[in-house]
Amino acid sequence: MKLRKQTGLKAALVAVVGGLFLAFLGLIKSDPGISAEPADSGASSSPTPSSDLYKRFFAPDADRGGGSVQPAPQANPNAAPRNQPRPHTRSRPS
Amino acid sequence: MDHTFWYLTRASGLVAYLLLFASVALGLAMTTSLFSSRFRRYRVYDIHRFLSLVTLGVTVFHVLIVLPDGYFSFSARQLLVPFASPYRPFSMALGVFALYLMAIIILSFYLRPLVPYRAWRLLHYATFGAFVLALAHGIGAGADTGAGWALFLYAGTGVAVLYLVVYRVLRGSARGLKHPVHREATSPTPARSLG
């Protein structure tokens, strides 16, 4: 039965799919505008390396001062050294 | 940070969507008179089925390739359970439903002898639902939706499928009756009335 033949055409189709994939990959990687997030997308946005919206969404503590970017305490030479907990340095939940 | 996996999932999502479009369009065109004069129908059906399989493969790749991405840190549950994703849960759920629907429909290709023809055909119509779900998923969850070319892609494919559906409803059935085909030798969807 010839129904499952046409291997040449199928191979060509697979090649076209591969070419399309590479073309889209190149387009996405090369065009910085594509990474930009729509302005109205708010917190539930996709990863945007330029604006870090995604990091803010998945690791809000890191940007709101609850994580690694806490401001350093004021230096006080009279204060006794304390065992302060170190701010975690993780940028996103594991 | 390396965003390779993020790029891969975006590119594969677009390819999967285009493949789904091609498969749906081919399936629709196959049951109309569009291909009857130039191509043997069983060949078109064979390619249609092959395209569907490739579509499913690329879609599964699209889902799984985001798992190792350290930027996303998605779990398998978040990707495979509707509304479990923390990222745009509704749009992501549409994609999950589309994936499951596609898997069921493609599986039905191979279970065709076991399923009554009318039930099989009704199930096959769910392909339109899968296409619409995938389109909505692409628009809603795709990071490239804002790009002009992506909008053109979504609009063009959507309009093309709509046109083919209308063509099929209005003209396909009438032409199909003029060219009845043997079910076992050609398509499992002989061109009769759509309803």
Side-chain angles (χ1 to χ4, degrees):
Chain A
M1 191 164 150
K2 284 186 176 179
L3 204 62
R4 288 180 182 81
K5 302 285 183 183
Q6 306 187 96
T7 48
L9 186 54
K10 289 174 183 174
L13 268 173
V14 171
V16 167
V17 169
L20 260 178
F21 182 75
L22 291 177
F24 275 125
L25 198 59
L27 185 65
I28 287 167
K29 287 182 78 170
S30 66
D31 188 352
I34 292 175
S35 297
E37 191 64 17
D40 59 344
S41 57
S44 58
S45 62
S46 63
T48 51
S50 56
S51 63
D52 265 353
L53 282 174
Y54 183 80
K55 281 184 179 176
R56 266 187 269 157
F57 172 59
F58 277 97
D61 287 348
D63 284 345
R64 292 176 191 158
S68 58
V69 290
Q70 276 185 337
Q74 292 291 328
N76 184 358
N78 297 327
R82 288 181 300 171
N83 252 347
Q84 287 185 336
R86 296 180 61 183
H88 70 81
T89 54
R90 203 174 59 188
S91 60
R92 71 177 47 76
S94 57
Chain B
M1 176 172 282
D2 183 22
H3 300 301
T4 302
F5 292 112
W6 173 230
Y7 295 144
L8 286 174
T9 196
R10 285 161 65 183
S12 57
L14 287 162
V15 173
Y17 172 73
L18 278 182
L19 283 170
L20 179 61
F21 160 72
S23 182
V24 169
L26 196 60
L28 276 165
M30 193 174 69
T31 55
T32 65
S33 58
L34 289 173
F35 279 144
S36 61
S37 58
R38 291 193 177 193
F39 304 100
R40 288 179 186 268
R41 208 160 171 200
Y42 70 87
R43 290 186 182 278
V44 180
Y45 170 69
D46 188 32
I47 293 301
H48 169 62
R49 199 165 73 165
F50 179 73
L51 257 181
S52 305
L53 263 183
V54 177
T55 304
L56 185 63
V58 175
T59 307
V60 169
F61 177 81
H62 164 64
V63 173
L64 295 182
I65 198 63
V66 80
L67 276 174
D69 182 28
Y71 203 48
F72 255 117
S73 299
F74 271 135
S75 67
R77 181 186 163 276
Q78 288 171 336
L79 291 173
L80 297 174
V81 177
F83 305 105
S85 165
Y87 167 71
R88 300 186 182 180
F90 182 73
S91 296
M92 290 287 283
L94 296 180
V96 175
F97 286 130
L99 169 67
Y100 292 151
L101 206 51
M102 277 168 52
I104 291 169
I105 293 164
I106 291 169
L107 186 69
S108 77
F109 273 126
Y110 299 94
L111 298 177
R112 169 70 194 92
L114 306 175
V115 183
Y117 176 69
R118 185 168 290 275
W120 184 90
R121 202 170 66 161
L122 279 174
L123 177 65
H124 214 70
Y125 289 150
T127 308
F128 302 124
F131 178 78
V132 171
L133 286 170
L135 176 62
H137 166 72
I139 293 172
D144 307 309
T145 303
W149 61 267
L151 287 173
F152 179 77
L153 186 147
Y154 290 132
T157 50
V159 168
V161 167
L162 188 64
Y163 170 80
L164 283 169
V165 169
V166 171
Y167 184 89
R168 169 77 172 84
V169 170
L170 296 181
R171 300 186 62 179
S173 58
R175 296 296 295 268
L177 284 174
K178 293 179 184 175
H179 305 284
V181 289
H182 296 293
R183 189 179 302 167
E184 66 276 11
T186 61
S187 160
T189 56
R192 293 179 193 141
S193 68
L194 186 62

